[in-house]
Amino acid sequence: LYNNVLHAWGRSSDGDASKNAEALLDRMENTTSKLPKPDIISYQLVLTALQHSKDPDKAERAKSVLDRFLASTHGQNFGATYNDIRNSYNCVLTASTYTSADAGIQQRKQAARILVETLRDMNHFTLSNSGNANNVVGPNQESYALFMQGCAHLLDPDSKDRNMLLKSAFHECCKKGLLNRTIWNKFCNALRPELAEIFIGELASRNGIGLEYEGLPKEWSSSGPKS
């Protein structure tokens, strides 16, 4: 029943929808409340409401809900899968990436910080019941596409930090064999074609490489769907 209410708030066009969803989650988490405790779906519904919100602080609030969800996966037998965790991280990346241009300088800086920290944290989070300390959740293709888009949207085009973050994420993505056309296009658009061509040529250790996706080393896209 309560997840149905959270679902309704997530689909609502009401300006306070995400705040109402968070308020209900707070009540469900309250140890003195008679309401049922939140489950995986509860947290994901609130994250979905936040990523669709137009609120300027949605990235910070989504990160807070994610942290509470991750803490719960260690304290309760949620049975959360790697996809559950990864999808929740991606909701935070989405909330950060699509923070409004009208949100204000401080909110956009905060969203950029959360964007970077979230991708970093994905590479280190391990489910406590996985039995394998090396089996981290890790970003997927959607994660990298969102990160590229977020860097382009939130960081100054002439910022050295922006170029460094883009190159680092792209290199990591290629190393994992997760590159696809969407990530490639977002990377080139964010870094600027001329800088992208130089960087790709250096990364591929060969001369004459262009900006056609089909001409890139196959091992860069050897894992995952080729969307």
Side-chain angles (χ1 to χ4, degrees):
L1 173 61
Y2 289 96
N3 281 348
N4 288 338
V5 176
L6 291 174
H7 179 71
W9 281 126
R11 295 173 61 87
S12 173
S13 59
D14 188 300
D16 291 326
S18 63
K19 292 184 176 68
N20 290 332
E22 284 180 278
L24 178 53
L25 181 67
D26 290 343
R27 291 172 56 201
M28 293 171 72
E29 287 181 323
N30 192 323
T31 55
T32 62
S33 172
K34 295 182 180 180
L35 298 183
K37 299 305 175 188
D39 56 15
I40 296 171
I41 296 174
S42 308
Y43 286 103
Q44 291 185 333
L45 287 170
V46 177
L47 285 169
T48 298
L50 281 164
Q51 74 175 8
H52 292 149
S53 168
K54 295 181 180 180
D55 294 340
D57 61 344
K58 65 179 183 176
E60 187 173 1
R61 288 158 54 203
K63 179 64 165 57
S64 174
V65 173
L66 173 66
D67 288 343
R68 287 150 60 184
F69 170 51
L70 296 180
S72 297
T73 64
H74 289 295
Q76 303 179 39
N77 185 23
F78 268 173
T81 67
Y82 281 97
N83 280 337
D84 292 327
I85 301 297
R86 188 178 291 113
N87 290 339
S88 298
Y89 271 110
N90 282 346
C91 284
V92 178
L93 289 175
T94 301
S96 301
T97 293
Y98 293 102
T99 294
S100 171
D102 300 327
I105 295 175
Q106 291 305 315
Q107 291 290 0
R108 286 171 60 78
K109 284 184 177 179
Q110 182 79 329
R113 180 186 64 79
I114 291 171
L115 179 83
V116 174
E117 291 179 355
T118 301
L119 188 73
R120 179 201 64 197
D121 292 347
M122 292 182 79
N123 279 307
H124 295 94
F125 184 86
T126 304
L127 281 175
S128 59
N129 60 357
S130 69
N132 185 350
N134 296 319
N135 197 9
V136 297
V137 170
N140 59 7
Q141 291 175 317
E142 181 184 3
S143 312
Y144 286 113
L146 286 166
F147 185 81
M148 301 296 177
Q149 183 74 27
C151 285
H153 179 59
L154 297 169
L155 300 174
D156 189 300
D158 297 320
S159 166
K160 291 182 179 179
D161 287 342
R162 168 170 149 162
N163 290 346
M164 179 191 68
L165 289 166
L166 285 165
K167 291 176 181 180
S168 177
F170 184 84
H171 183 256
E172 177 186 292
C173 176
C174 292
K175 189 176 180 180
K176 294 181 179 182
L178 290 174
L179 183 65
N180 63 20
R181 190 182 300 276
T182 298
I183 298 169
W184 170 246
N185 289 338
K186 289 182 181 296
F187 172 74
C188 290
N189 289 336
L191 190 61
R192 297 204 306 264
E194 63 274 17
L195 295 179
E197 186 166 6
I198 293 171
F199 175 67
I200 296 304
E202 294 172 349
L203 192 61
S205 299
R206 67 182 190 183
N207 297 321
I209 188 169
L211 291 180
E212 295 298 327
Y213 175 73
E214 290 77 5
L216 299 176
K218 299 300 182 186
E219 60 268 23
W220 291 1
S221 55
S222 58
S223 304
K226 309 302 188 293
S227 58

